[in-house]
Amino acid sequence: MPSYLVTGAAGFIGRSIAAALLARGETVRGIDSFITGKRANLVGLEAMEFIEGDLADPAACAKACAGVEIVFHEAALASVPRSVADPVGTNRNCVDATLNLLVAARAAGVRRVIYAGSSSAYGESPTLPKHEQMLPAPISPYAVAKLAGEHYMGAFTRVYGLETVVLRYFNVFGPHQDPTSHYSGVLAIFCRRMLAGQQPTIFGNGEQSRDFTYIDNVVHANLLAAAAPAEKVSGRTMNTATGSRITLNETFAILRELTGYSGQPAYAEERAGDIRDSLADIRLAGELLGYKPIVDFREGLRRTAEWYRGGGGQE
Ligand code: UD1
């Protein structure tokens, strides 16, 4: 019987968690609807039982949760601008999907659900670093949808006793992130363009900053969250990041070295729904999970650029 379910298993983060579980010899089931997931991301995960299904369909959730002990819920439409263009679609695939999954998890006797929260929950509040006691202030439909999922996690712990853990991810990047959509994460887009000798576009003046978090750190936090004692972590929300930030202009300069791109970026109007600065306080995950970043930004970016250089992410 499968012990672990990964939702969004054909997505960037889901496939990375599944790969780490398989490498440990665990029994893993994955589900993905391929709305944004890619079949290419399943290569190397052949030992995983895979279900093609949409979590907005309760029957798919029931099938996915049967016999599972721990769920990593990574499925989402992970994009602020996409949610601005289609808030209803984001709600369906983030909020409806999460609620259906929780209902199915409870019915199936799942012990723990670990949820991919988003730093976008903090919104525009100027305080840095962001810590978990701050009142959420979401400003995009995406942020609202991801935050609603967090609250559902909390409610299912309080009301039904399901163990839940929320990991609030800060701008995750790394190999397998899709670089081909204009909704893709900025580092994936920049790597792909700059390696191809194409000019990237910075929205705004490039002085916005992010706590860009390399994927291995996020996988590490998830594995810790799965193993941690319930009395320590259940019902808790923890930032999952590096605790340092860098501006887009600085990042561009590093990527110039890594990719050999010799041009300058184009600058365009700031994007609607964007926040300016993001930086995590990661002490809580340190206390509750023993988490600390295992790969720093520069090394992560080097590995990422190498992956795209080797042909990763082409479609
Ligand atoms: C937000 C969340 C993040 C979440 C992600 C999901 C915050 C702080 N972060 O990321 O936790 O995982 O949504 O998608 O809310 N940009 C360019 N050129 C491009 C593309 C983007 O300049 O070609 C800029 C954007 O305008 C933004 C920055 O790069 O200022 C980062 O954008 P993106 O990678 O889309 O992530 P966030 O929206 O910050």
Side-chain angles (χ1 to χ4, degrees):
M1 273 209 309
S3 311
Y4 294 92
L5 169 68
V6 180
T7 73
F12 156 53
I13 300 176
R15 77 86 57 203
S16 304
I17 293 172
L21 291 169
L22 292 173
R24 281 194 340 194
E26 308 286 0
T27 309
V28 186
R29 180 185 291 156
I31 183 167
D32 205 292
S33 62
F34 297 113
I35 297 174
T36 55
K38 304 275 177 240
R39 286 185 197 277
N41 279 339
L42 297 176
V43 173
L45 304 183
E46 289 74 17
M48 175 175 78
E49 178 195 345
F50 181 74
I51 299 173
E52 181 170 350
D54 186 341
L55 300 180
D57 167 17
C61 290
K63 197 173 159 194
C65 287
V68 164
E69 189 187 347
I70 295 185
V71 176
F72 297 93
H73 180 34
E74 312 303 312
L77 291 185
S79 166
V80 170
R82 186 174 180 136
S83 79
V84 174
D86 177 18
V88 174
T90 290
N91 193 80
R92 176 182 185 275
N93 291 291
C94 294
V95 184
D96 295 351
T98 296
L99 180 55
N100 287 342
L101 179 73
L102 282 169
V103 168
R106 178 178 173 239
V110 166
R111 181 165 63 81
R112 180 172 300 184
V113 179
I114 299 154
Y115 174 71
S118 169
S119 64
S120 59
Y122 293 110
E124 239 170 1
S125 67
T127 312
L128 290 179
K130 312 291 184 195
H131 59 81
E132 296 84 350
Q133 285 73 39
M134 287 169 62
L135 204 58
I139 57 171
S140 65
Y142 173 72
V144 170
K146 290 302 292 184
L147 183 61
E150 288 193 13
H151 287 309
Y152 272 124
M153 293 294 145
F156 270 65
T157 295
R158 261 166 242 134
V159 176
Y160 304 119
L162 180 70
E163 295 176 16
T164 65
V165 185
V166 174
L167 299 179
R168 263 190 198 158
Y169 301 162
F170 281 64
N171 290 75
V172 189
F173 72 100
H176 299 281
Q177 189 169 33
D178 176 20
T180 60
S181 157
H182 61 280
Y183 295 136
S184 296
V186 65
L187 300 186
I189 294 175
F190 279 20
C191 280
R192 178 170 182 252
R193 290 194 70 84
M194 291 168 76
L195 283 165
Q198 295 165 350
Q199 187 180 40
T201 301
I202 291 182
F203 302 130
N205 65 7
E207 287 306 300
Q208 66 265 52
S209 63
R210 294 289 183 271
D211 191 334
F212 287 112
T213 306
Y214 186 64
I215 182 66
D216 286 18
N217 299 316
V218 170
V219 171
H220 179 52
N222 272 278
L223 298 181
L224 291 170
E231 56 278 15
K232 231 174 164 180
V233 298
S234 182
R236 304 298 299 267
T237 296
M238 284 158 255
N239 290 339
T240 302
T242 70
S244 55
R245 70 187 166 111
I246 185 162
T247 67
L248 270 192
N249 286 329
E250 289 167 325
T251 305
F252 173 81
I254 299 174
L255 273 176
R256 265 183 117 212
E257 285 169 34
L258 290 173
T259 62
Y261 179 76
S262 55
Q264 294 302 321
Y267 286 90
E269 205 180 315
E270 195 179 305
R271 230 172 45 177
D274 264 4
I275 64 149
R276 187 180 143 103
D277 296 307
S278 181
L279 169 68
D281 182 328
I282 56 170
R283 282 175 299 178
L284 188 62
E287 275 166 39
L288 300 179
L289 299 178
Y291 165 81
K292 57 178 190 326
I294 51 176
V295 179
D296 71 21
F297 175 70
R298 220 173 229 277
E299 171 60 15
L301 199 55
R302 190 192 65 74
R303 292 187 198 176
T304 304
E306 278 315 297
W307 188 79
Y308 290 116
R309 191 197 299 281
Q314 309 285 358
E315 284 217 8

